[in-house]
Amino acid sequence: MFKERKTKITSDFWQRYRKLMANSSIPFQWDMINDNKKIIISNDAFAAEGTADKSHAIANLKIAAGREKGKFFGMDFQDTDVYKWLESAAYVLSYAPNKKLREETDSVVDLIADAQENDGYLSTMFQIEMPERKFKRLQQSHELYSMGHYIEAGVAYYEVTGNEKALKIAEKMADCINKHFGLQENQIPGIPGHPEIELALARLYEVTKNERYLKLAKYFITQRGQDTEFFDRQNKLDGKGRNFFPGLDKIGNRYYFADKPVTEQVDVHGHAVRVLYFCTGLAHIARLTKDQALMQAANRLWKDTVKKQMYITGNVGQTTTGEAFTYDYDLPNDTDYGETCASVAMVLFAKQMLLSDLNGQYGDIIEKELFNGALSGIALDGKHYFYVNPLEADPKASKKNPGKNHINTKRSSWFACACCPSNITRLLSSVDRYLYSIKDNTILSDQFIANETNFDNGVSIRLTTDYPWEGKLSYVISNSQEVKFNFAIRIPQWALGDYHIIVNGQRVDVKLQKQLFILPITDKITNITVDFGMDVHLVRANNRVKDDMGKVAVQRGPIIYCAEESDNKAPLWNYRLKSNPKFTSNYDSQLLDGVVVLDTDDAERMAEDSEQQLYYFVDDTPGWSQSHLRLIPYYAWANRDNGQMEVWLNKR
């Protein structure tokens, strides 16, 4: 019923980011992957995964294509820096056509085609340095991960530009993988150490309708965890001590989410991005194949992630050791890893769950990431990035405590492992794809970003709003051909106690289904106004989370707030909020590119102890004095002075 749609984003908040992608981030990343020496690099020496002042990613492809001579440089998945840039650029071209950018992207597609081998294989490290080891150490090689990222890019570029060469490269890759992997004679009965190919093949199937790709994706989903000896056997045959990453042959199948079949898995564990990319493919394949056992597994893993292992900002993956999940309710704030890529993966996972089941809980998580956890991964200038997104930070601790030196307090231009910069840009440049979800004859307004959207059957929707700073949404639905359909609006979990809806001038009694207000549409014009209360809320964590006991977080609308040393005297842990603090909310257009700031005088600050003594009896405690406290949106922290930051605040 609703096959095609075109969306124009009109939100001031998101227009700024869309322009930032087109005018700053994409050109900057182009210079980085091409090793343009004129570019100015600013890196935090303590950045997780190390910083870098060059990429060599385009050069690797040129060497593999025979256009240049040289050695491979970088991670074994260095190619993906190019592929995710290409995907980001494709989305930018869809809303900001640019001749120069189109020439650059077309040239990259041509280069990739030249670098690809005749049988479809493409992974430049192996082609340049070790062709005899292709597909021989899948636990660590990232070959399928890299080709998966190209398939995603190729599909996106084809959808936006119609470039058939880009799609053909993706099909050749998939055909190569299909030839080599499976349970037939002379095939490799294996899986990738880093999932990605699963979700990529699902995307490729949806464009091509080639059943081979759907079957291959399901093979990778269902084969995972079936043969727990596979990685060990391959590593032994390839040779002891030939790891691409030290120690990863000893870390165990649980780290790779390959310790048991997915239908037996009950919690997320191991490397956060790996498992969440896998879950994205799992949910997508479960929907496409209508496999109930796989969908039940996806639901179990979703619930464990969001109800037991997710930070209030949406960040996931608690430990720097292996960039991994740990265990339920273990959510330390000052050592939190919260990789930007994992937040992007959560958006992908949530969208696939949503397409199977129109349910407000999934849009809640997409919103949480878009306005908090994922958005923190990019600076306001579009040229600096966080790999790690903590909920508490102190520059002194980052520099002097080895257990915390993965916590950046300044964003970096580039990383030795540069997966995050182009991952956050491909999300932000494609944000228009997350506004509406369609299932059967229902259009769900899922993300409240001002827009004008036209569908191919004469239905158009205009949403006017200043969200996330204001809670009023005004919809005008035009239905020129009087199509009969349902229009649904997600009511966010944070707003369930304070909202009202007016339809064509009449206030309506609302009965929600899965957090959704659903309205049958038959008229040519329908006007809907939704008002969410935008009071400031204090949030507490489940008391199983020991790190947040006695603390509260502050939320207004979808935005989580934090205290920064730029606004408040350090140390920040000497502040506490009174029992029932009152906040004022003011929009400051000059601060941090325009934010609503929260201020309160219902705070207290403890006097600092003397440096002469380390421990005291409790009755010798400094007094508390009334104090002012200012909070800013979490996503905007670390864009000013280098100082402390806290999300969770002490409360009297």
Side-chain angles (χ1 to χ4, degrees), residues 37-181:
K37 297 300 183 183
K38 72 179 182 181
I39 195 167
I40 298 174
I41 301 296
S42 173
N43 284 337
D44 184 341
F46 292 89
E49 301 307 312
T51 58
D53 60 2
K54 77 170 186 174
S55 163
H56 208 253
I58 289 288
N60 288 337
L61 285 163
K62 288 180 177 178
I63 295 167
R67 296 187 185 182
E68 290 183 0
K69 299 289 185 182
K71 294 287 188 179
F72 176 88
F73 173 87
M75 298 287 180
D76 59 5
F77 48 87
Q78 202 82 346
D79 302 351
T80 64
D81 295 349
V82 177
Y83 302 157
K84 283 184 282 186
W85 174 86
L86 178 62
E87 186 178 353
S88 301
Y91 299 136
V92 167
L93 286 169
S94 72
Y95 67 83
N98 179 289
K99 182 181 178 182
K100 180 175 181 291
L101 180 59
R102 179 61 190 271
E103 290 173 350
E104 290 168 348
T105 52
D106 280 346
S107 73
V108 166
V109 170
D110 291 341
L111 173 60
I112 293 168
D114 287 351
Q116 186 177 35
E117 296 188 350
N118 290 335
D119 68 350
Y121 182 91
L122 177 53
S123 183
T124 61
M125 184 181 84
F126 290 89
Q127 291 168 266
I128 297 168
E129 302 293 343
M130 52 192 78
E132 75 285 356
R133 295 181 73 186
K134 293 176 185 175
F135 297 143
K136 296 292 179 62
R137 207 178 191 92
L138 290 163
Q139 183 192 61
Q140 302 165 33
S141 70
H142 288 86
E143 292 158 280
L144 298 180
Y145 168 84
S146 295
M147 285 192 271
H149 268 304
Y150 175 77
I151 290 171
E152 283 201 89
V155 167
Y157 197 65
Y158 170 75
E159 288 177 330
V160 171
T161 69
N163 186 308
E164 293 188 0
K165 180 184 284 189
L167 184 62
K168 185 64 176 177
I169 296 168
E171 291 178 295
K172 284 180 65 178
M173 280 184 182
D175 291 340
C176 172
I177 296 166
N178 188 61
K179 176 183 177 182
H180 284 89
F181 288 85

Side-chain angles (χ1 to χ4, degrees), residues 595-610:
V595 293
V596 166
V597 176
L598 302 183
D599 288 283
T600 183
D601 288 322
D602 291 333
E604 297 173 320
R605 192 172 188 279
M606 178 185 281
E608 292 186 42
D609 284 314
S610 166

Side-chain angles (χ1 to χ4, degrees), residues 471-518:
K472 183 177 181 180
L473 315 175
S474 297
Y475 294 91
V476 178
I477 302 172
S478 301
N479 185 15
S480 61
Q481 298 181 30
E482 299 189 58
V483 178
K484 292 183 179 180
F485 66 98
N486 293 324
F487 185 68
I489 301 171
R490 175 179 60 90
I491 306 302
Q493 191 275 334
W494 60 263
L496 287 176
D498 185 11
Y499 71 95
H500 65 265
I501 299 175
I502 295 172
V503 178
N504 292 330
Q506 299 295 316
R507 186 162 178 167
V508 297
D509 292 327
V510 179
K511 294 181 180 179
L512 300 182
Q513 301 176 35
K514 300 180 180 178
Q515 277 183 239
L516 306 181
F517 167 66
I518 302 175

Side-chain angles (χ1 to χ4, degrees), residues 310-316 331-338 373 388-394 407 548 553 560-563 634 637 645-649:
M310 176 176 282
Y311 286 90
I312 192 171
T313 53
N315 299 118
V316 287
L331 294 166
N333 297 305
D334 60 346
T335 58
D336 165 26
Y337 203 74
V388 172
N389 296 274
L391 274 71
E392 179 180 325
D394 182 351
I407 301 294
D548 297 334
I560 303 299
Y561 279 75
C562 69
Y634 169 77
W637 85 279
M645 180 277 294
E646 287 190 353
V647 168
W648 289 95
L649 307 172

Side-chain angles (χ1 to χ4, degrees), residues 615-642:
Y615 299 103
Y616 299 84
F617 290 116
V618 172
D619 56 5
D620 186 11
T621 299
W624 293 88
S625 58
Q626 187 276 334
S627 184
H628 182 84
L629 190 66
R630 166 166 281 201
L631 306 178
I632 64 162
Y634 169 77
Y635 76 80
W637 85 279
N639 279 284
R640 297 178 289 173
D641 300 329
N642 188 22

Side-chain angles (χ1 to χ4, degrees), residues 388-451:
V388 172
N389 296 274
L391 274 71
E392 179 180 325
D394 182 351
K396 183 182 292 185
S398 294
K399 291 181 179 180
K400 297 187 177 182
N401 182 342
K404 296 181 180 179
N405 63 22
H406 64 286
I407 301 294
N408 306 15
T409 53
K410 296 186 295 183
R411 292 175 181 84
S412 294
S413 296
W414 209 247
F415 303 92
C417 173
C419 52
C420 293
S422 51
N423 223 357
I424 186 61
T425 57
R426 73 175 179 143
L427 173 64
L428 298 185
S429 57
S430 65
V431 74
D432 55 296
R433 297 185 172 210
Y434 295 91
L435 307 192
Y436 298 101
S437 295
I438 299 171
K439 191 170 188 291
D440 300 324
N441 70 331
T442 299
I443 299 175
L444 167 61
S445 176
D446 190 52
Q447 299 304 315
F448 310 126
I449 296 172
N451 71 93

